[in-house]
Amino acid sequence: MSWGNRKADRVTFATGYTVLMMGIDGTWQRPCTLLDISNSGARLQVKDSIEGLNLKEFFLLLSSTGLAFRRCELVRINGDEIGVKFVEDKDTGKKKKGRALARSDS
């Protein structure tokens, strides 16, 4: 598979950027290198084996404190490199009921 068939423009890191993959339930973590990224996905180089891991959905931790992260889904595997797409939160676009109620009471 070609890495060039992408819909979104990518930012490529010359030396890579160290990040961490983590299971949705927090039971596993793998160090990896972020090779390139776009609004819709990324290409990662995984340092350890990913055999046996549930990669249907996982977190990509972009900071050591865990405050910057994206929810990901595996798209392709090519040796030690994987392609992921970012999963959008299903609740985006819904209004918060608590805020609306607080405003109407004032």
Side-chain angles (χ1 to χ4, degrees), residues 13-75:
F13 300 98
T15 58
Y17 184 78
T18 303
V19 295
L20 192 66
M21 295 169 48
M22 184 175 75
I24 292 291
D25 58 1
T27 58
W28 60 267
Q29 293 183 358
R30 292 292 183 275
C32 56
T33 302
L34 181 63
L35 301 173
D36 65 37
I37 193 166
S38 74
N39 287 335
S40 60
R43 185 168 53 111
L44 309 169
Q45 183 177 34
V46 184
K47 297 180 187 322
D48 297 331
S49 173
I50 58 173
E51 187 176 343
L53 299 178
N54 180 9
L55 296 176
K56 171 67 179 152
E57 204 167 353
F58 61 93
F59 289 115
L60 181 62
L61 305 176
L62 302 169
S63 73
S64 59
T65 60
L67 296 176
F69 64 92
R70 295 296 303 258
R71 195 174 198 136
C72 298
E73 187 175 295
L74 181 67
V75 175

